[in-house]
Amino acid sequence: MYYPYVVVGAGLAGLTVAERIAAGKGEKVLVVEKRPHIGGNVYDSYNEDGILVHNYGPHIFHTNDKEVYEYLGGFTKWNDFWHRVLTQVDGNLIPMPITLETVNRLYNMDMTPEEMEKFIAGRAVPIKEIRTSRDVALSKVGDEIYSKFFENYTKKQWGIDPAELDTSVISRIPLRYNRDTRYFTDKYQGMPRYGYTKMCQAMIQNKNIKVLLNTDFKEVRDEISYGKLIYTGPVDEYYHYRHGGLRYRSLSFVMETFDRESYQDAPVVNYPNDYDYTRITEFKKLTGQEHRKTTIMKEFPREGGEPYYPFPTADARAQFSLYQKEMEAEKNVYFLGRLAEYRYFNMDAVVRNALDLYRNKLA
């Protein structure tokens, strides 16, 4: 079976590339997906009570990239949504990320932005060389805020101490000297009006796109020939683990439905110090759906299972570099996305990289 283009993986990266090839070049594209659905981790569906849930954890779209926002807007209408997160600390629900509101509530004070800046600076720990996530947090906010908000949450999320993790893990969390409690400050923020799955379905309506679900590429790769391959799966699996299996952090989810309209005060509440789960998501507060019941999801980080987060340590990066040398030597094979590039990407970056790959290498 021959296709000019084969895409492995029907997540946002794979679907974007497939859509661009089919629409821009008029070529036939085969998309191979081992799950029983398209959309990858942004897949959403209605549960037995008719509530729209994000099956692989909450996904909130946000970007400063107008082209990406408008590209996806060709497949969905957007509901404006400004994400807010609360964190349970010392029995109180406090806004996250660290803002003026957070610090005032934590210390029962009424500081101005200028006073907060001096307050935080006075607690920051001087560190000569920033090498780990622990260094980042201590140098930004000091020991007390680090221990209350970051230390235990990070240990739960990754299973190891923040002192062993790359700086990127905590560097993504902003520190603001104002009252803006939005989790993201990007110019474009929203939720697909009818859900991510509907958006993804619209992306592959082109007759030149054929999708094989429930199909593991490694089981059919000898039966498919292609002109070019775009691979978005795990890179270690592509190379038959010749440099060993790359380490990932996984998640398990527990959903509960309650016979009441609201469960918590925010779409997402973090639990850095209490319980085994890291956060609870209440989906109606993300989607805007009206329903007399509500469904929540508890997230439990774990080792093994579905690969979610590439492991941010020096050892893991060194191991991936061995695969990277092999990837760079490939002809007509392109590696794209979180699993193939062994790197965490926000949704907008996934789509941006896919658009760039098409434009620069495939168009």
Side-chain angles (χ1 to χ4, degrees):
M1 180 165 52
Y2 173 81
Y3 276 83
Y5 295 88
V6 172
V7 176
V8 177
L12 273 183
L15 296 183
T16 299
V17 168
E19 188 281 328
R20 287 288 77 208
I21 292 168
K25 294 175 70 71
E27 296 272 16
K28 291 191 179 298
V29 189
L30 176 67
V31 180
V32 181
E33 170 56 57
K34 71 177 180 180
R35 285 173 171 172
H37 58 75
I38 63 170
N41 287 350
V42 305
Y43 173 73
D44 53 20
S45 64
Y46 288 90
N47 66 13
E48 59 185 13
D49 291 290
I51 297 171
L52 184 63
V53 300
H54 294 185
N55 298 67
Y56 301 96
H59 285 78
I60 296 95
F61 185 80
H62 57 100
T63 188
N64 287 313
D65 191 327
K66 184 179 181 182
E67 183 187 3
V68 167
Y69 182 72
E70 291 181 345
Y71 170 74
L72 292 178
F75 308 103
T76 183
K77 293 185 183 300
W78 294 104
N79 286 338
D80 286 340
F81 177 79
W82 306 95
H83 190 39
R84 284 179 167 82
V85 174
L86 295 175
T87 296
Q88 182 167 290
V89 173
D90 297 338
N92 298 312
L93 291 176
I94 298 175
M96 188 67 187
I98 306 298
T99 66
L100 181 60
E101 288 291 321
T102 309
V103 177
N104 277 337
R105 288 199 208 177
L106 184 65
Y107 292 101
N108 194 26
M109 299 173 73
D110 188 23
M111 288 183 282
T112 64
E114 294 75 16
E115 289 169 337
M116 175 194 168
E117 194 163 357
K118 290 179 183 176
F119 182 85
I120 294 294
R123 280 157 176 73
V125 178
I127 295 176
K128 188 174 292 185
E129 186 179 2
I130 305 293
R131 303 180 65 178
T132 69
S133 279
R134 180 178 180 273
D135 295 341
V136 171
L138 290 176
S139 67
K140 277 188 173 183
V141 296
D143 186 67
E144 188 174 12
I145 291 177
Y146 165 70
S147 63
K148 287 180 182 291
F149 286 89
F150 300 115
E151 183 175 26
N152 292 325
Y153 188 95
T154 307
K155 284 179 180 177
K156 280 196 286 187
Q157 182 70 25
W158 295 102
I160 61 176
D161 193 277
E164 300 177 61
L165 291 170
D166 185 87
T167 57
S168 63
V169 175
I170 287 181
S171 295
R172 294 174 58 233
I173 301 170
L175 172 65
R176 299 187 200 132
Y177 300 102
N178 58 35
R179 297 183 185 275
D180 186 355
T181 59
R182 294 175 302 164
Y183 198 74
F184 307 113
T185 57
D186 302 68
K187 185 174 182 180
Y188 306 102
Q189 300 187 39
M191 302 291 290
R193 183 164 298 176
Y194 307 107
Y196 285 102
T197 299
K198 289 288 187 185
M199 179 185 79
C200 290
Q201 288 170 345
M203 294 174 74
I204 55 169
Q205 288 302 302
N206 193 302
K207 64 182 181 181
N208 288 323
I209 299 175
K210 178 180 176 64
V211 180
L212 288 179
L213 298 177
N214 296 301
T215 305
D216 195 327
F217 178 67
K218 70 174 180 283
E219 296 176 3
V220 299
R221 65 190 294 175
D222 294 333
E223 301 168 23
I224 299 172
S225 57
Y226 50 80
K228 294 185 178 181
L229 176 73
I230 298 92
Y231 183 83
T232 72
V235 65
D236 51 357
E237 185 175 292
Y238 181 85
Y239 287 109
H240 307 290
Y241 304 101
R242 69 179 61 161
H243 302 297
L246 292 169
R247 190 177 179 186
Y248 291 90
R249 194 66 170 161
S250 189
L251 297 169
S252 60
F253 305 106
V254 174
M255 292 209 200
E256 300 174 51
T257 298
F258 297 88
D259 195 8
R260 61 179 192 254
E261 290 197 1
S262 179
Y263 178 83
Q264 59 190 23
D265 293 337
V268 173
V269 176
N270 291 343
Y271 292 87
N273 306 308
D274 306 301
Y275 314 111
D276 290 336
Y277 48 83
T278 52
R279 61 181 177 176
I280 296 178
T281 298
E282 185 173 6
F283 292 106
K284 281 168 49 182
K285 289 184 168 66
L286 293 179
T287 62
Q289 183 181 7
E290 294 183 3
H291 198 287
R292 67 179 183 82
K293 294 184 178 182
T294 192
T295 297
I296 66 164
M297 171 188 276
K298 295 176 181 176
E299 283 185 43
F300 296 83
R302 64 191 183 100
E303 198 76 18
E306 191 76 28
Y308 281 91
Y309 302 110
F311 223 79
T313 61
D315 288 346
R317 285 199 312 275
Q319 185 184 6
F320 170 65
S321 69
L322 300 176
Y323 286 109
Q324 211 165 12
K325 290 175 184 174
E326 309 237 19
M327 295 159 63
E328 290 166 357
E330 294 281 358
K331 289 185 171 64
N332 296 323
V333 179
Y334 304 91
F335 295 88
L336 180 68
R338 173 178 52 93
L339 300 179
E341 299 179 69
Y342 199 64
R343 189 175 153 203
Y344 181 82
F345 292 108
N346 286 329
M347 284 184 285
D348 64 326
V350 167
V351 176
R352 163 50 58 202
N353 292 345
L355 293 175
D356 288 347
L357 173 66
Y358 170 74
R359 185 175 294 147
N360 299 329
K361 301 286 181 68
L362 304 175

